Amino acid sequence: MLNKDLHLVDDLSKAEKAATRDGFGKGLLELGEKNKDVVGLCADLKESVRMNWFAEKYPERYIAVGVAEQNLAGVAAGLAFAGKIPFASSFSVFSPGRNWDQLRVSICYSKANVKLCSSHAGLTVGEDGATHQALEDIAITRVLPNLVVIVPSDALETKKATIAIAKYQGPVYMRFSREKTLVYTTEQTPFEIGKALVLKEGNDATVIACGIMVAEVLKAAEVLEKEGISVEVINNHTIKPIDVETIINSVKKTKAVVTAEEHQKTGGLRGAVLELLAEYDVMAVSGYVAVEDKFGESGTSVELLEKYGLTAADIVEEVKKVVKKK
Amino acid sequence: MQKKAAKKEMIKEASSEISIKKLELTANKIRQDIIKMLFAANSGHTAGPLGMVEIFTALYFKILKHDPKNPKLEDRDRLILSNGHICPVQYACMANSGYFPEKELLTLRKINTRLQGHPNRLDLPGLENSSGPLAQGSSIAAGIALAAKMDRKDYTVFCLMSDGEHQEGQIWEALMFAGNKKLNNFIGIIDRNNIQIDGYVEDIMSIEPLRQKLEAFNCNVYEMNGNDMKEVVVTLENVLKNRNKTTRPSIIIAKTVPGKGISFMENKYEWHGRPPKKEEAEAALKELQAEREIIINKR
Ligand SMILES: Cc1ncc(C[n+]2csc(CCOP(=O)(O)OP(=O)(O)O)c2C)c(N)n1
Ligand SMILES: [Mg+2]
């Protein structure tokens, strides 16, 4: 049974589809109206990251930096020092991929109030291929002190997160995706930075996911339920600071954990969760659904998710395997 | 004035009319292949590849020292594509010159293909570098050129770059390096088509005065109309001829028309990153076929 307090879409098969990048674009547009300090910067990918809506409505607060991601991060830091709330955008492979040093020192070390918001994360980028598929960005951002790292799970949540991070004072990295995916939350579903959501309660295993994998986990949970396996589903949208209490309590109960993310299997959500369990001496069997230390390739997003083992069916398999280990 | 007249003179005495006509026909075939590939892929970049057809054709079918049947030929010239997104033009030239079967072109961007959306050197023999993230090729080209110097090799490194790419710091780091290390075997070609994704380069983040910038980085600068086959061949031959008379890298600013050859695509930045739909592909191929007849009927 879905957690009633969260007002999720009851019937997933009836859920609409939208890209998380659209949620970012809408959130930013709304912020433009609400807060005059919000400025948008983009490195020649305005429409792809959906900053075009903000740019059209607030041209005086939109800054095109050209194809120059290092400068993007640095200029954003400068704007932040002078009191602006800069949203700086590109693709995840380039930002934080290319501008990691600027992110580390000009933004994180300096506590610049910059919101680095990047689209086209993960394999679902599709045909552009490996060079454009960020599968390492969670790892390289969550190691940075002072940085909040958010991976919202659907378009509506991304919109809420965009608005929330503008209120939060400090550096944030948020990653989102190109492909349309299920919108399983509603306007009433809460969002709070650092507060993971238990979407569904269960006893046999905890499945912790972020980003577009959360909806896949919900689908998997339905299948598993029918086979008599009861899973607790956690949407862990904030990778850092991670929600210690929610995760620890759940895994203490189920003693089995599976993570699901559109990222390399090391350094990302799985790493964050397992580090936490080790830190708190929580004993549990574990498994994961993630990319097996490989680069991606060209293909449709559906083909790639299948080939790299990131579907609901893969989650079902993994949960069964892990539960057997108990 | 004098310079212009001298250039014209050179063009006249250049490579025979016949070989230029042959290259133009090849270029026309390459354009048709690009349209077919992008339509089949249903994603990818159209404007950039079409604008660079003459230059890639001249390189693969006349200028480069290479052997499509032996892509690892030791002293081959190296073609480094820095703006990887225009790879359809490179793939089409590679297939048509015998690196791999032409029918494979239609696998572009499809799952399990060797023709990745952005080139992967590990997938396809004949690709020197993997690219996509702009500007990386410039430094790689400089590194290869330096290795050639260290090993006293005579091959040339052609580094293909775009204009939008010149907004990246790395390009200038690479050029500063190439100038400093006296890499006269480094020949850069800049696709100066004045478009990038978000609009015209001049509007988004001007890179002018480009020529003066390049000169200030200790490069010899040439300019050419990148869509005039004769001028392309003559300029490239001229740069190669001058190569050993200078210690500087050479950079050719190639003025090109993005979307060249297809009336409704030319000079429109909207065609940077979208493929033709069915009717558009058909119309494009029709225009190219008509153009082919014109080339054939040229004296
Ligand atoms: C480092 C990096 N940043 C951003 C991109 C996304 N991108 C791909 S092509 C492009 C436009 C660059 O302009 P140009 O190469 O001149 O484009 P064209 O003339 O081919 O349309 C951008 C921003 C990229 N590939 N690499
Ligand atoms: Mg350009």
Side-chain angles (χ1 to χ4, degrees), chain A residues 42-48 62 64-71 93-94 98 126-132 178 296-300 303-304 307-308, chain B residues 41-45 109-113 115-119 130-136 164-170 173 196-199 204-205:
Chain A
C42 191
D44 201 30
L45 289 163
K46 183 175 63 171
E47 196 177 320
S48 296
Y62 170 70
V65 301
V67 194
E69 296 77 13
Q70 300 177 64
N71 200 41
V93 281
F94 310 130
R98 182 163 294 196
E127 292 82 354
D128 272 352
T131 55
H132 284 52
R178 169 180 189 257
E297 63 183 88
S298 291
T300 65
E303 286 166 339
L304 293 173
K307 181 165 176 178
Y308 287 77
Chain B
N42 191 27
S43 79
H45 303 81
R109 292 180 157 249
K110 299 214 157 102
I111 190 97
N112 299 326
T113 182
L115 311 191
Q116 290 291 302
H118 293 84
S130 300
S131 68
L134 290 165
Q136 292 194 18
E165 211 176 10
H166 280 69
Q167 294 161 346
E168 287 282 359
Q170 186 173 3
E173 294 172 29
Q196 55 188 107
I197 294 182
D198 284 351
I204 300 297
M205 183 59 62

Coordinates of all heavy atoms in Angstrom, one line a residue, chain A residues 42-48 62 64-71 93-94 98 126-132 178 296-300 303-304 307-308, chain B residues 41-45 109-113 115-119 130-136 164-170 173 196-199 204-205:
Chain A
C42 N 23.5 30.1 -18.6 CA 23.6 28.8 -19.4 C 24.7 28.8 -20.4 O 25.1 29.8 -21.0 CB 22.3 28.5 -20.1 SG 22.2 26.9 -20.7
A43 N 25.3 27.6 -20.6 CA 26.5 27.5 -21.5 C 26.0 26.9 -22.8 O 26.3 25.7 -23.1 CB 27.5 26.6 -20.9
D44 N 25.2 27.6 -23.6 CA 24.8 27.3 -24.9 C 23.9 26.0 -25.0 O 24.0 25.2 -25.9 CB 26.0 27.1 -25.8 CG 25.6 27.2 -27.3 OD1 24.6 28.0 -27.6 OD2 26.3 26.6 -28.2
L45 N 23.1 25.8 -24.0 CA 22.1 24.7 -24.0 C 20.8 25.1 -23.4 O 20.1 24.3 -22.8 CB 22.7 23.5 -23.2 CG 23.9 22.8 -23.9 CD1 24.6 21.9 -22.9 CD2 23.4 22.0 -25.1
K46 N 20.5 26.4 -23.6 CA 19.3 27.0 -23.0 C 18.0 26.2 -23.1 O 17.3 26.0 -22.2 CB 19.2 28.4 -23.6 CG 18.1 29.2 -23.1 CD 18.2 30.6 -23.8 CE 17.9 30.5 -25.2 NZ 17.8 31.8 -25.9
E47 N 17.8 25.8 -24.4 CA 16.5 25.1 -24.6 C 16.6 23.6 -24.0 O 15.6 23.1 -23.4 CB 16.2 25.1 -26.1 CG 14.7 24.7 -26.4 CD 14.4 24.7 -27.9 OE1 14.9 25.7 -28.5 OE2 13.7 23.8 -28.3
S48 N 17.7 23.0 -24.2 CA 17.9 21.6 -23.8 C 17.7 21.5 -22.3 O 17.1 20.5 -21.8 CB 19.3 21.1 -24.1 OG 19.4 21.0 -25.5
Y62 N 18.8 36.9 -17.7 CA 19.4 35.7 -18.3 C 20.8 36.0 -18.9 O 21.0 37.0 -19.6 CB 18.5 35.1 -19.4 CG 19.2 34.0 -20.2 CD1 19.5 32.8 -19.6 CD2 19.7 34.2 -21.5 CE1 20.2 31.8 -20.2 CE2 20.4 33.3 -22.2 CZ 20.6 32.1 -21.5 OH 21.3 31.1 -22.2
A64 N 23.9 34.5 -21.1 CA 24.5 33.5 -22.0 C 26.0 33.6 -21.8 O 26.6 34.6 -22.1 CB 24.1 33.7 -23.4
V65 N 26.6 32.5 -21.4 CA 28.1 32.5 -21.3 C 28.8 31.9 -22.5 O 30.0 31.9 -22.5 CB 28.6 31.9 -20.0 CG1 28.0 32.6 -18.8 CG2 28.4 30.4 -19.9
G66 N 28.0 31.3 -23.4 CA 28.7 30.6 -24.5 C 29.1 29.2 -24.0 O 28.8 28.8 -22.9
V67 N 29.9 28.5 -24.9 CA 30.3 27.2 -24.6 C 31.5 27.3 -23.7 O 32.7 27.3 -24.1 CB 30.7 26.4 -25.9 CG1 30.8 24.9 -25.5 CG2 29.7 26.6 -27.0
A68 N 31.3 27.5 -22.4 CA 32.4 27.8 -21.5 C 32.0 27.4 -20.0 O 31.6 28.3 -19.3 CB 32.7 29.3 -21.6
E69 N 32.0 26.2 -19.7 CA 31.4 25.7 -18.4 C 32.3 26.1 -17.2 O 31.7 26.3 -16.1 CB 31.3 24.2 -18.5 CG 30.3 23.6 -19.5 CD 30.9 23.6 -20.9 OE1 32.1 23.8 -21.1 OE2 30.1 23.5 -21.9
Q70 N 33.6 26.2 -17.4 CA 34.4 26.7 -16.3 C 34.1 28.1 -15.9 O 33.9 28.5 -14.8 CB 35.9 26.5 -16.6 CG 36.3 25.1 -16.9 CD 37.7 25.0 -17.3 OE1 38.6 25.2 -16.5 NE2 37.9 24.5 -18.5
N71 N 33.9 28.9 -17.0 CA 33.5 30.3 -16.8 C 32.1 30.4 -16.2 O 31.8 31.3 -15.3 CB 33.6 31.1 -18.1 CG 33.7 32.5 -17.9 OD1 34.4 33.0 -17.1 ND2 33.0 33.3 -18.8
V93 N 27.5 16.1 -17.8 CA 28.8 15.7 -18.1 C 29.8 16.9 -18.2 O 31.0 16.7 -18.0 CB 28.9 15.0 -19.5 CG1 28.5 13.5 -19.4 CG2 28.1 15.7 -20.6
F94 N 29.3 18.1 -18.5 CA 30.1 19.2 -18.6 C 30.2 20.1 -17.3 O 31.1 20.8 -17.0 CB 29.7 20.2 -19.7 CG 29.4 19.4 -21.0 CD1 28.3 19.6 -21.7 CD2 30.4 18.6 -21.5 CE1 28.0 18.9 -22.9 CE2 30.2 17.9 -22.7 CZ 29.0 18.0 -23.4
R98 N 33.2 19.3 -16.4 CA 34.4 20.1 -16.8 C 34.8 21.1 -15.8 O 35.9 21.5 -15.7 CB 34.1 20.7 -18.1 CG 35.3 21.5 -18.7 CD 35.1 21.9 -20.1 NE 35.2 20.6 -20.9 CZ 35.4 20.6 -22.2 NH1 35.6 21.8 -22.9 NH2 35.4 19.5 -22.9
G126 N 20.4 8.9 -24.3 CA 20.1 8.1 -25.5 C 21.2 8.2 -26.6 O 22.4 8.0 -26.4
E127 N 20.7 8.7 -27.8 CA 21.5 8.5 -29.0 C 22.8 9.3 -29.0 O 23.8 9.0 -29.8 CB 20.7 9.0 -30.2 CG 19.5 8.1 -30.6 CD 18.3 8.3 -29.7 OE1 18.3 9.1 -28.8 OE2 17.2 7.7 -30.0
D128 N 23.0 10.4 -28.3 CA 24.2 11.1 -28.2 C 25.4 10.3 -27.8 O 26.5 10.6 -28.1 CB 24.1 12.4 -27.3 CG 23.6 13.6 -28.1 OD1 23.4 13.5 -29.3 OD2 23.3 14.6 -27.4
G129 N 25.1 9.2 -27.0 CA 26.1 8.3 -26.6 C 26.9 8.6 -25.4 O 26.6 9.6 -24.6
A130 N 27.9 7.8 -25.1 CA 28.7 7.8 -23.9 C 29.2 9.1 -23.4 O 29.1 9.5 -22.2 CB 29.8 6.8 -24.0
T131 N 29.7 9.9 -24.4 CA 30.3 11.2 -24.0 C 29.3 12.1 -23.3 O 29.7 13.0 -22.5 CB 30.9 11.9 -25.2 OG1 29.9 12.1 -26.2 CG2 32.1 11.2 -25.8
H132 N 28.1 11.9 -23.6 CA 27.1 12.8 -23.1 C 26.2 12.2 -21.9 O 25.3 12.9 -21.5 CB 26.1 13.3 -24.2 CG 26.8 14.3 -25.1 ND1 28.0 14.1 -25.7 CD2 26.4 15.5 -25.5 CE1 28.3 15.2 -26.4 NE2 27.3 16.1 -26.3
R178 N 16.6 14.1 -19.5 CA 16.1 14.6 -20.8 C 14.7 13.9 -21.1 O 13.8 14.5 -21.6 CB 17.1 14.2 -21.9 CG 16.6 14.3 -23.3 CD 17.7 13.9 -24.2 NE 17.3 14.2 -25.6 CZ 16.9 13.3 -26.5 NH1 16.8 12.0 -26.1 NH2 16.6 13.7 -27.7
G296 N 28.5 4.3 -21.2 CA 27.3 4.1 -22.0 C 27.6 4.0 -23.5 O 28.7 3.8 -23.9
E297 N 26.5 4.2 -24.3 CA 26.7 4.1 -25.7 C 25.4 4.7 -26.4 O 24.5 5.1 -25.7 CB 26.9 2.7 -26.2 CG 25.7 1.8 -25.9 CD 25.8 0.4 -26.3 OE1 26.4 -0.4 -25.4 OE2 25.5 0.0 -27.4
S298 N 25.4 4.8 -27.7 CA 24.2 5.3 -28.4 C 23.1 4.2 -28.4 O 23.4 3.0 -28.4 CB 24.6 5.6 -29.9 OG 25.4 6.8 -29.9
G299 N 21.9 4.7 -28.5 CA 20.7 3.8 -28.5 C 19.6 4.6 -28.0 O 19.7 5.7 -27.5
T300 N 18.4 4.1 -28.1 CA 17.2 4.8 -27.5 C 17.3 4.6 -26.0 O 18.0 3.6 -25.5 CB 15.9 4.2 -28.0 OG1 15.8 2.9 -27.5 CG2 15.8 4.2 -29.5
E303 N 16.1 1.1 -25.0 CA 17.1 0.1 -25.3 C 18.3 0.1 -24.3 O 18.8 -1.0 -23.8 CB 17.7 0.3 -26.7 CG 16.7 -0.1 -27.8 CD 17.2 0.4 -29.2 OE1 18.0 1.4 -29.2 OE2 16.7 -0.1 -30.2
L304 N 18.7 1.3 -23.9 CA 19.9 1.4 -23.0 C 19.6 1.0 -21.6 O 20.3 0.3 -21.0 CB 20.4 2.8 -23.1 CG 21.0 3.2 -24.4 CD1 21.4 4.7 -24.4 CD2 22.3 2.4 -24.7
K307 N 19.6 -2.7 -21.8 CA 20.9 -3.3 -22.0 C 21.8 -3.2 -20.7 O 22.5 -4.1 -20.4 CB 21.6 -2.7 -23.2 CG 23.0 -3.2 -23.5 CD 23.5 -2.8 -24.8 CE 24.9 -3.3 -25.0 NZ 25.5 -3.0 -26.3
Y308 N 21.6 -2.1 -20.0 CA 22.5 -1.9 -18.9 C 21.8 -2.3 -17.5 O 22.3 -2.0 -16.5 CB 22.9 -0.4 -18.8 CG 24.0 -0.1 -19.9 CD1 23.6 0.1 -21.2 CD2 25.3 0.0 -19.6 CE1 24.5 0.3 -22.2 CE2 26.3 0.2 -20.5 CZ 25.9 0.4 -21.9 OH 26.8 0.6 -22.8
Chain B
A41 N 18.7 7.8 -38.5 CA 19.0 7.8 -37.1 C 17.9 8.5 -36.3 O 17.7 8.3 -35.1 CB 20.3 8.6 -36.8
N42 N 17.2 9.4 -37.0 CA 16.1 10.2 -36.3 C 16.6 11.0 -35.1 O 15.9 11.3 -34.2 CB 15.0 9.3 -35.9 CG 13.8 10.0 -35.5 OD1 13.5 11.1 -36.0 ND2 13.0 9.5 -34.6
S43 N 17.9 11.4 -35.2 CA 18.5 12.3 -34.2 C 19.8 12.7 -34.7 O 20.3 12.0 -35.7 CB 18.6 11.7 -32.8 OG 19.7 10.8 -32.7
G44 N 20.4 13.7 -34.2 CA 21.8 14.1 -34.6 C 21.8 15.5 -35.2 O 20.9 16.2 -35.3
H45 N 23.1 15.8 -35.6 CA 23.4 17.2 -36.1 C 23.4 17.3 -37.6 O 24.1 16.5 -38.2 CB 24.7 17.6 -35.4 CG 24.6 17.5 -33.9 ND1 24.8 16.4 -33.2 CD2 24.4 18.5 -33.0 CE1 24.7 16.6 -31.9 NE2 24.5 17.9 -31.7
R109 N 24.1 6.0 -34.7 CA 23.4 6.3 -33.5 C 22.5 5.2 -33.0 O 21.7 5.4 -32.0 CB 22.6 7.6 -33.6 CG 23.4 8.9 -33.7 CD 22.7 10.1 -33.8 NE 23.5 11.2 -33.4 CZ 23.3 12.0 -32.3 NH1 22.2 11.7 -31.5 NH2 24.1 12.9 -31.9
K110 N 22.5 4.1 -33.7 CA 21.6 3.0 -33.2 C 22.4 2.1 -32.2 O 23.6 2.0 -32.2 CB 21.1 2.2 -34.4 CG 20.4 3.1 -35.4 CD 19.3 2.3 -36.1 CE 18.2 3.2 -36.6 NZ 18.2 3.5 -38.0
I111 N 21.6 1.3 -31.5 CA 22.2 0.5 -30.4 C 23.2 -0.5 -31.1 O 23.0 -1.0 -32.2 CB 21.1 -0.2 -29.6 CG1 21.7 -0.9 -28.4 CG2 20.4 -1.3 -30.5 CD1 21.6 -0.2 -27.1
N112 N 24.3 -0.7 -30.4 CA 25.4 -1.6 -30.8 C 26.1 -1.2 -32.1 O 26.9 -1.9 -32.7 CB 24.9 -3.0 -31.1 CG 24.3 -3.6 -29.8 OD1 24.8 -3.3 -28.7 ND2 23.2 -4.4 -29.9
T113 N 26.0 0.1 -32.5 CA 26.7 0.5 -33.7 C 28.1 0.9 -33.4 O 28.5 1.2 -32.3 CB 25.9 1.8 -34.3 OG1 26.6 2.2 -35.5 CG2 26.0 3.0 -33.3
L115 N 29.2 3.4 -35.2 CA 29.0 4.8 -35.5 C 28.3 5.5 -34.4 O 27.1 5.8 -34.5 CB 28.3 5.0 -36.9 CG 28.8 4.2 -38.1 CD1 28.2 4.7 -39.3 CD2 30.3 4.2 -38.2
Q116 N 29.0 5.7 -33.3 CA 28.4 6.3 -32.1 C 27.9 7.8 -32.4 O 28.5 8.4 -33.3 CB 29.4 6.3 -31.0 CG 29.6 4.9 -30.4 CD 28.4 4.4 -29.7 OE1 27.9 5.0 -28.7 NE2 27.9 3.2 -30.2
G117 N 27.0 8.3 -31.7 CA 26.5 9.6 -31.9 C 27.6 10.6 -31.8 O 27.6 11.7 -32.5
H118 N 28.6 10.4 -30.9 CA 29.8 11.1 -30.9 C 30.9 10.1 -31.0 O 30.8 9.0 -30.4 CB 30.0 12.0 -29.6 CG 28.9 13.1 -29.6 ND1 27.7 12.9 -29.1 CD2 29.0 14.4 -29.9 CE1 27.0 14.0 -29.2 NE2 27.8 14.9 -29.7
P119 N 32.0 10.3 -31.8 CA 32.9 9.3 -32.2 C 33.6 8.6 -31.1 O 34.1 9.3 -30.2 CB 33.9 10.0 -33.1 CG 33.3 11.4 -33.4 CD 32.3 11.7 -32.3
S130 N 38.4 10.0 -29.6 CA 37.0 10.1 -29.2 C 36.7 11.5 -28.8 O 37.5 12.2 -28.2 CB 36.8 9.2 -27.9 OG 37.1 7.9 -28.2
S131 N 35.5 11.9 -29.2 CA 35.2 13.3 -28.9 C 33.7 13.6 -28.8 O 32.9 12.7 -29.0 CB 35.8 14.3 -30.0 OG 35.1 14.1 -31.2
G132 N 33.4 14.8 -28.5 CA 32.0 15.2 -28.2 C 32.0 16.4 -27.3 O 31.5 17.4 -27.6
P133 N 32.6 16.2 -26.1 CA 32.8 17.4 -25.2 C 33.8 18.3 -25.9 O 35.0 18.0 -26.2 CB 33.5 16.8 -24.0 CG 32.9 15.3 -24.0 CD 33.0 15.0 -25.4
L134 N 33.3 19.5 -26.3 CA 34.0 20.4 -27.2 C 35.4 20.8 -26.6 O 35.6 21.0 -25.4 CB 33.2 21.6 -27.4 CG 31.9 21.4 -28.3 CD1 30.9 22.5 -28.2 CD2 32.3 21.1 -29.7
A135 N 36.3 21.0 -27.5 CA 37.6 21.6 -27.3 C 38.7 20.5 -27.0 O 39.9 20.8 -27.0 CB 37.6 22.7 -26.3
Q136 N 38.3 19.3 -26.6 CA 39.3 18.4 -26.1 C 40.2 18.0 -27.3 O 41.4 17.7 -27.0 CB 38.6 17.1 -25.5 CG 37.9 17.4 -24.2 CD 37.6 16.2 -23.4 OE1 38.1 15.1 -23.7 NE2 36.7 16.3 -22.5
G164 N 32.0 27.8 -32.3 CA 31.5 27.8 -31.0 C 32.5 27.3 -30.0 O 32.6 27.8 -28.8
E165 N 33.3 26.3 -30.4 CA 34.3 25.7 -29.5 C 35.3 26.7 -29.0 O 35.9 26.5 -28.0 CB 34.9 24.7 -30.4 CG 35.4 23.5 -29.7 CD 36.0 22.4 -30.6 OE1 36.2 22.7 -31.9 OE2 36.3 21.4 -30.2
H166 N 35.5 27.8 -29.8 CA 36.5 28.8 -29.4 C 36.1 29.6 -28.2 O 36.8 30.5 -27.8 CB 36.9 29.6 -30.6 CG 37.9 28.9 -31.5 ND1 37.5 27.8 -32.3 CD2 39.2 29.1 -31.7 CE1 38.6 27.3 -32.9 NE2 39.6 28.1 -32.6
Q167 N 34.9 29.3 -27.7 CA 34.5 30.0 -26.5 C 35.1 29.2 -25.3 O 35.1 29.7 -24.1 CB 33.0 30.1 -26.4 CG 32.4 31.0 -27.4 CD 30.9 30.7 -27.7 OE1 30.4 29.7 -27.3 NE2 30.3 31.7 -28.4
E168 N 35.6 28.0 -25.5 CA 36.2 27.2 -24.4 C 37.6 27.6 -24.2 O 38.4 27.8 -25.1 CB 36.2 25.7 -24.8 CG 34.8 25.1 -24.8 CD 34.3 24.7 -23.4 OE1 35.1 24.9 -22.4 OE2 33.2 24.2 -23.3
G169 N 38.0 27.7 -22.9 CA 39.4 28.1 -22.6 C 40.4 27.0 -23.2 O 41.5 27.4 -23.6
Q170 N 40.0 25.8 -23.2 CA 40.9 24.7 -23.6 C 41.5 24.9 -25.0 O 42.7 24.6 -25.3 CB 40.3 23.3 -23.5 CG 41.3 22.2 -23.8 CD 40.8 20.8 -23.6 OE1 39.6 20.6 -23.2 NE2 41.6 19.8 -23.7
E173 N 44.3 27.3 -24.7 CA 45.5 26.6 -24.0 C 46.2 25.8 -25.0 O 47.4 25.7 -25.0 CB 44.9 25.8 -22.8 CG 44.3 26.6 -21.7 CD 43.6 25.7 -20.6 OE1 44.0 24.6 -20.4 OE2 42.6 26.2 -20.0
Q196 N 25.9 28.4 -33.3 CA 26.1 27.4 -32.2 C 24.6 27.0 -31.8 O 23.7 27.2 -32.6 CB 26.9 28.0 -31.1 CG 26.4 29.3 -30.5 CD 27.4 29.9 -29.5 OE1 28.1 30.9 -29.8 NE2 27.5 29.3 -28.3
I197 N 24.4 26.4 -30.7 CA 23.1 25.9 -30.4 C 22.1 27.0 -30.2 O 21.0 27.0 -30.7 CB 23.1 24.9 -29.2 CG1 24.0 23.7 -29.5 CG2 21.7 24.5 -28.8 CD1 24.0 22.7 -28.4
D198 N 22.4 27.9 -29.3 CA 21.5 28.9 -28.9 C 21.3 30.1 -29.9 O 20.5 31.0 -29.6 CB 21.9 29.5 -27.5 CG 21.5 28.5 -26.4 OD1 20.9 27.5 -26.7 OD2 22.0 28.7 -25.2
G199 N 22.1 30.1 -30.9 CA 21.9 31.2 -31.9 C 23.2 31.4 -32.7 O 24.0 30.5 -32.9
I204 N 25.7 35.3 -29.3 CA 25.8 34.5 -28.0 C 27.1 35.0 -27.3 O 27.0 35.3 -26.1 CB 25.8 33.0 -28.2 CG1 24.5 32.5 -29.0 CG2 26.0 32.3 -26.9 CD1 23.3 32.8 -28.2
M205 N 28.2 34.9 -27.9 CA 29.5 35.2 -27.3 C 30.5 35.4 -28.4 O 31.1 34.4 -28.9 CB 29.9 34.1 -26.3 CG 31.2 34.4 -25.5 SD 31.1 35.9 -24.5 CE 29.8 35.5 -23.3

